[in-house]
């Protein structure tokens, strides 16, 4: 069995993304992503919300949080990405 995850191109490699956030006046909005098993799941629970989020906040700096021990990465307005969905084997 396999799963689908969201990845971002960071520092010359594709890293799995746990969350994407934007800071607004005294608050932050964050989208978190979990691995999905089905195409329908990743389209509706990962890709579409991410596209909408990036469109809505394209004029704000975005913070991308890679999974694991990697430090968050900030992108300037309109500079985040690229992102991709990757199918990975279980394990």
């Amino acid at each position: 069995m396999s799963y689908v995850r969201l990845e971002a191109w960071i520092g010359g490699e594709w890293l799995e993304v746990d969350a994407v956030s934007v800071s607004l006046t005294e608050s932050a909005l964050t989208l978190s992503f979990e691995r999905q098993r089905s195409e329908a799941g990743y389209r509706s629970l990962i890709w579409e919300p991410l596209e909408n989020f990036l469109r809505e906040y394209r004029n704000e700096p975005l913070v991308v949080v890679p999974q694991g021990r990697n430090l968050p990465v900030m992108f300037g307005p309109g500079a985040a990405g690229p992102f991709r969905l990757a199918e990975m084997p279980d394990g």
Side-chain angles (χ1 to χ4, degrees):
M1 187 133 209
S2 62
Y3 61 89
V4 176
R5 69 185 193 181
L6 178 68
E7 296 179 335
W9 183 253
I10 297 173
E13 63 183 318
W14 289 104
L15 299 177
E16 183 173 1
V17 174
D18 271 348
V20 175
S21 66
V22 61
S23 293
L24 302 171
T25 309
E26 298 183 23
S27 65
L29 297 172
T30 301
L31 280 181
S32 297
F33 305 99
E34 293 192 16
R35 296 172 176 174
Q36 300 296 315
R37 294 253 180 226
S38 70
E39 180 173 344
Y42 74 68
R43 288 285 172 211
S44 63
L45 297 173
I46 295 178
W47 200 249
E48 291 171 9
L50 176 65
E51 284 184 325
N52 292 336
F53 192 81
L54 294 176
R55 192 177 310 115
E56 178 78 17
Y57 298 105
R58 67 181 167 269
N59 296 323
E60 303 293 334
L62 288 175
V63 175
V64 177
V65 183
Q67 185 198 35
R69 295 173 293 176
N70 300 296
L71 294 174
V73 178
M74 179 174 280
F75 291 93
F83 293 96
R84 74 175 185 185
L85 294 168
E87 189 170 353
M88 306 300 290
D90 246 345

